[in-house]
Amino acid sequence: MQSANPGHTASWYAASANDTRIRPVLEGEVEADICIIGAGFTGISAALDLCERGYSVVVLEAERIGFGASGRNGGQIVNGYSRDLATIAGRYGTEKAAALGRMSLEGAAIIRERVSRYGIACDLVDGGFFAAFTDKQMRDMEAHKRDWEKHGHPGLEMVTRTELGTYVRTDRYAGGMIDRLGGHIHPLNLVLGEAAAVEGLGGRIFEGSRATALEEGATQTVRTQKGAVRARYVLICGNAYLAPQFPAISGRMMPVSSQVLTTEPLAADLAEALLPANYCVEDANYILDYYRRTADNRILYGGGIGYGGRDPKDIVAVIRPNMVKTFPALAGVKIDFAWSGNFALTLTRIPHMGRLGPNVYFSHGDSGHGVTTTHLLGKILGEAVAGHAERFDVWSSLPNLPFPGGKTFRVPLTVLGAWWYGLRDRLGL
């Protein structure tokens, strides 16, 4: 299917984008305080923070603003990280877990503040629900709730099976947990609105301008096919779509695809009956499903996984069966859009931040929890450039490991691990 928004995948997001303007290609040489590579959530979040601080910023995007995971994801505001705070404490110590805990709600707060400040129309709705299939998953959620509350999260509440219908009408779950500080958005419209805010503050964004080389020195030079940016600092924010000329970063992550579909618009009473509170939902399985209502009363349903960024031949055939298991009333509805997109997975499932040189910073590898963490880490990149690197130093000190087996074996070994965890889910272990 050809996208109605050229340069983007043929998703419902691209078809319903508020801003379809194509930014210019970089031609010739320009100068700025900071050059940012990548116009997804991380790069645009950093750009907006730096523009607000008064820096001159140039953003280079190889494709279109929000081309990658930032414009294709499930649109869920999920607080925290891809590993819980207890696991982080066990790996890295209580001091670092406490530091990450203090930051864990900030990404969602940044989104809400920017939506309000800049009047971004992105269908923001508050409230998220985590669904448990088994009593064991319920007990795990209760433990996570206690741990979150130790770190100051006030918005969590357990939901029993009898209370389930307030949030989602299905027979699949044993209960779950609501997060009143969660929520959902139209992610492409969010990043486009933030990009417009960057431009409103004097930032410049060039699309179709892939970085082809980085020359470090007293001044950094980022070259593209038709131009160059000379800047004091460079921020590399390419994530799963990062070009291979940065192997020190791209070699520490694996692109992983997730698949999403949207139904045709439903009758309002049917959409409301399925998800009465209009919360977004994700389940507690290792390979999870996630879904929500859209502003035009579609059900947007995602799941599946493709290690190495491999897509299935038929996305609808992969996703629709689980959607119908969850909501049998949708068995006969038409599917209007189906697409996939890659996110960057690290071996630790923790984001990877660091420096490639004294004035070259990077952040990537949000591992499936990118909507909130990218906003947080983009802001932290801005802080570091501005001379306040305390929070950056916490993140950059976390060990990041290469995948075992290198590029040849990282996919089959990860698939084997996913098979094992998927088996545990099926057996209720």
Side-chain angles (χ1 to χ4, degrees), residues 213-217 219-223 230:
L214 169 60
E215 300 166 6
E216 295 183 64
T219 298
Q220 324 314 311
T221 301
V222 181
R223 298 198 179 277
R230 302 192 187 281

Side-chain angles (χ1 to χ4, degrees), residues 45 48 110-118 120 194 375:
S45 177
L48 188 48
I110 291 168
I111 292 170
R112 289 185 170 96
E113 189 274 334
R114 288 176 175 171
V115 168
S116 175
R117 178 187 296 190
Y118 296 107
I120 299 173
E194 291 173 311
H375 281 83

Side-chain angles (χ1 to χ4, degrees), residues 142-159:
E142 289 168 352
H144 293 330
K145 177 176 180 289
R146 291 191 295 270
D147 196 40
W148 268 107
E149 288 170 343
K150 291 176 186 176
H151 293 273
H153 193 324
L156 302 174
E157 183 180 328
M158 296 303 297
V159 174

Side-chain angles (χ1 to χ4, degrees), residues 112-358:
R112 289 185 170 96
E113 189 274 334
R114 288 176 175 171
V115 168
S116 175
R117 178 187 296 190
Y118 296 107
I120 299 173
C122 61
D123 305 330
L124 173 62
V125 177
D126 291 333
F129 181 75
F130 300 96
F133 288 98
T134 65
D135 292 340
K136 178 186 180 299
Q137 289 181 347
M138 286 290 287
R139 291 191 296 272
D140 289 344
M141 283 185 187
E142 289 168 352
H144 293 330
K145 177 176 180 289
R146 291 191 295 270
D147 196 40
W148 268 107
E149 288 170 343
K150 291 176 186 176
H151 293 273
H153 193 324
L156 302 174
E157 183 180 328
M158 296 303 297
V159 174
T160 66
R161 186 188 293 271
T162 57
E163 299 167 327
L164 187 64
T166 302
Y167 304 97
V168 55
R169 300 274 173 82
T170 182
D171 296 328
R172 296 190 76 191
Y173 305 133
M177 180 174 70
I178 60 173
D179 180 0
R180 299 193 188 280
L181 299 185
H184 55 96
I185 40 85
H186 186 303
L188 182 56
N189 279 336
L190 174 60
V191 72
L192 288 167
E194 291 173 311
V198 167
E199 293 169 323
L201 293 171
R204 291 170 287 174
I205 302 173
F206 296 95
E207 295 181 320
S209 302
R210 182 181 298 277
T212 58
L214 169 60
E215 300 166 6
E216 295 183 64
T219 298
Q220 324 314 311
T221 301
V222 181
R223 298 198 179 277
T224 68
Q225 185 177 6
K226 296 183 178 181
V229 182
R230 302 192 187 281
R232 291 165 53 199
Y233 296 92
V234 173
L235 308 182
I236 303 173
C237 305
N239 233 317
Y241 292 86
L242 186 67
Q245 55 263 62
F246 302 107
I249 306 172
S250 57
R252 296 294 176 114
M253 71 87 182
M254 182 195 305
V256 177
S257 73
S258 186
Q259 293 79 52
V260 186
L261 59 76
T262 58
T263 67
E264 62 186 331
L266 306 177
D269 57 350
L270 175 57
E272 292 169 8
L274 299 177
L275 292 166
N278 201 12
Y279 282 17
C280 59
V281 180
E282 70 171 57
D283 69 44
N285 279 346
Y286 183 80
I287 299 176
L288 56 82
D289 287 353
Y290 50 90
Y291 52 91
R292 62 184 182 88
R293 282 163 47 187
T294 66
D296 60 350
N297 288 320
R298 303 172 189 268
I299 296 297
L300 184 150
Y301 204 103
I305 199 159
Y307 293 108
R310 297 174 181 173
D311 293 331
K313 291 181 180 178
D314 188 341
I315 293 171
V316 175
V318 171
I319 303 302
R320 183 169 193 150
N322 273 2
M323 181 185 75
V324 174
K325 282 182 187 176
T326 305
F327 298 124
L330 298 182
V333 302
K334 180 176 176 247
I335 304 302
D336 275 355
F337 296 91
W339 68 93
S340 67
N342 292 344
F343 63 88
L345 184 78
T346 64
L347 184 64
T348 62
R349 273 51 170 184
I350 298 295
H352 183 201
M353 295 189 84
R355 292 181 177 89
L356 291 185

